[in-house]
Amino acid sequence: MELDKVASLIESEYRFLTRVHDRWSLTAGPQDMELVAHALRVILHMGKAGSSLNEYRALIKTQHEDGGWGRESTEKESAAWVSAFCGLMLIRANAVLQNAELERSIWKSIDYFLKDQKGDGRWVDSEWGDLDTTSHPVSFFNVVLALGTPAMKDAVRTSWRKGLRFIIDGQSEDGGWYDPVFQPSGVETTAHLVQDSVIASLVLPEGLPVRPVCEKGLNWILEHQAQDGSWDDHNVDHSMDCTRSILLISRMLKAEEKARPAIDKAIDWIVKVKNENGWPDFPGMETNLERTCDGLDVLLKYQAWRQPDSLEVVRRWGYAPGNPTFIQGIEARV
C-alpha cells in the first residue's frame, strides 16, 4: 500500500479519535481501562505524549495503592493484564516527559508485579489465560529493562527472567501457544507472546537465547493467515495482532522478504474492512473504539516498518531508548 494513503488514513482516524475524546479519556470521567491504555498508546505513537501530561496524570489518579489498576477506572480490585498495559504506557510516556510523578507511579507498578508473580513465573488474571496474562508483565519489564533507571532494571531482572522462561516453556512443538479455555485457536495468544514478550530478548543484553522460538512463532503466524489476508475467521482484533507481530518479528529476525507478502495482504484487508470512521470487531459490525485504536496502532507500525531507518518500527514497542551503547547493540542484531 502506498505510504501517502497510509498517512492519510492515520490522520483521518486520529481526528476521529480526538472528536470522541470524552468516550476514552479519564479526564472526562470513568472509563474502561483497556480502552484508555489503547488510546494512550496511539498518543505515544503520534508523538503527542509531550502535550498530553494531563492524560497520564489522570491515569495515575486511578492507580490503586497496591500499584495495579482495575478493569474499569472505578473498580477497586487490581487485575494483572490491564495493570501491565497501564504501567507500560507510563514508562514509555516518561521517556518523553521525564516527570517525577510518573516515575513514582512506575515504581508502584513494578512493586505490584514483583509481589503478584507466582512461584513458577506466571501471573494470573481471571479474564485471560495464564500465558497471555504473563506476556503483559513480561512486556512491561522488557521496557523497564530498556528505558528504566538502573535501580528499576535491577529490581525486575530476576522476575522478568522467570516470566519469560514460563512463556518459552509453554510454546508448542508446532511453534504456537494455545489456551484451550480462553483462546483455543492459538492465534491471539501466539501473536501476543512473540511480539510482546519473547522477541525483546534479541535486543536486551540480559535476554535469553530466543531466536529459534521467534522463528517458529513467525512461521506459525504466517501459516495460519487466510488467503484474504486475515486471521481467525475474519477477527479484526486478532488479524491486527498478527500483523503487528510479524512487522516486529520480521524486522528483528531480518526476515522482511519472507514476511512481506503476508504483511501486504494483511494491511490491504485491514483497510478494506474499516468503517467510515474506525474499525469493527468483525467486518460489517459497528465501530469499536478499542479496535479503532488498534487500527491506528497497526498502521503507525506499518508506516514505521516502511521507513529507511530499520530501528523505527522497533521503537514502536519501546525497545530502543536513546542510549548510544544500547542502540549500537540493537543495530548489531537487527
Side-chain angles (χ1 to χ4, degrees):
M1 179 170 294
E2 295 298 324
L3 284 178
D4 57 351
K5 181 176 181 180
V6 174
S8 177
L9 284 170
I10 289 169
E11 290 299 323
S12 65
E13 291 306 314
Y14 186 69
R15 286 196 299 271
F16 168 65
L17 193 65
T18 58
R19 288 201 302 272
V20 296
H21 175 266
D22 287 358
R23 290 169 55 189
W24 57 261
S25 173
L26 289 166
T27 65
Q31 303 288 354
D32 175 286
M33 294 305 295
E34 190 173 340
L35 173 57
V36 171
H38 276 76
L40 293 179
R41 181 171 63 186
V42 173
I43 287 173
L44 278 167
H45 294 165
M46 290 293 296
K48 307 293 185 181
S51 59
S52 302
L53 179 58
N54 60 326
E55 301 289 352
Y56 297 98
R57 281 180 166 157
L59 179 61
I60 291 170
K61 288 179 181 178
T62 62
Q63 188 177 24
H64 299 160
E65 274 305 307
D66 67 1
W69 282 264
R71 296 183 185 93
E72 302 288 334
S73 57
T74 55
E75 195 172 302
K76 301 301 182 185
E77 185 177 352
S78 297
W81 196 97
V82 74
S83 294
F85 206 161
C86 291
L88 180 60
M89 293 306 100
L90 285 177
I91 191 165
R92 293 187 60 189
N94 201 44
V96 178
L97 296 167
Q98 296 293 296
N99 180 276
E101 187 180 0
L102 267 66
E103 185 169 331
R104 287 193 295 271
S105 180
I106 293 162
W107 267 114
K108 285 180 66 176
S109 187
I110 289 171
D111 289 342
Y112 168 76
F113 286 109
L114 293 177
K115 293 173 183 175
D116 199 50
Q117 188 177 32
K118 306 305 178 187
D120 62 358
R122 79 182 71 195
W123 282 268
V124 174
D125 188 313
S126 62
E127 291 198 359
W128 294 85
D130 291 353
L131 283 166
D132 213 335
T133 298
T134 301
S135 76
H136 284 73
V138 170
S139 176
F140 171 52
F141 283 171
N142 284 340
V143 181
V144 171
L145 289 167
L147 302 181
T149 65
M152 287 177 178
K153 295 178 184 183
D154 289 343
V156 307
R157 196 169 283 114
T158 299
S159 176
W160 166 74
R161 278 180 169 270
K162 286 174 65 178
L164 182 58
R165 174 53 63 190
F166 175 78
I167 288 170
I168 292 171
D169 290 347
Q171 187 178 34
S172 298
E173 188 60 34
D174 66 2
W177 282 265
Y178 299 90
D179 187 298
V181 176
F182 291 89
Q183 290 295 340
S185 74
V187 170
E188 184 180 42
T189 304
T190 302
H192 278 169
L193 268 57
V194 185
Q195 65 168 316
D196 290 339
S197 306
V198 182
I199 195 72
S201 281
L202 290 180
V203 298
L204 293 172
E206 302 91 338
L208 298 174
V210 298
R211 181 173 290 274
V213 176
C214 296
E215 289 172 345
K216 288 172 66 176
L218 174 61
N219 289 336
W220 191 97
I221 294 169
L222 294 175
E223 290 165 3
H224 284 76
Q225 186 181 31
Q227 193 61 39
D228 64 7
S230 69
W231 280 266
D232 227 6
D233 295 326
H234 302 105
N235 187 309
V236 176
D237 182 17
H238 298 182
S239 297
M240 289 175 174
D241 282 330
C242 288
T243 306
R244 285 179 289 205
S245 192
I246 59 179
L247 284 169
L248 181 65
I249 303 164
S250 68
R251 175 56 46 82
M252 294 178 74
L253 295 180
K254 297 184 178 179
E256 294 96 337
E257 291 306 310
K258 177 180 181 178
R260 181 65 182 261
I263 291 169
D264 288 343
K265 285 200 302 183
I267 293 295
D268 287 345
W269 185 84
I270 287 167
V271 171
K272 179 181 177 181
V273 302
K274 192 183 80 66
N275 292 337
E276 182 179 356
N277 291 124
W279 277 266
D281 287 325
F282 287 88
M285 294 177 66
E286 65 182 16
T287 291
N288 178 308
L289 279 185
E290 186 180 312
R291 212 57 53 234
T292 299
C293 292
D294 280 331
L296 274 162
D297 185 57
V298 74
L299 289 181
L300 284 157
K301 285 172 175 170
Y302 174 69
Q303 185 183 55
W305 189 80
R306 293 279 303 272
Q307 298 306 310
D309 180 354
S310 64
L311 284 182
E312 193 59 34
V313 71
V314 180
R315 294 187 182 97
R316 296 302 188 275
W317 273 265
Y319 300 158
N323 183 296
T325 302
F326 191 97
I327 291 291
Q328 290 166 12
I330 293 176
E331 288 173 339
R333 298 174 174 90
V334 176

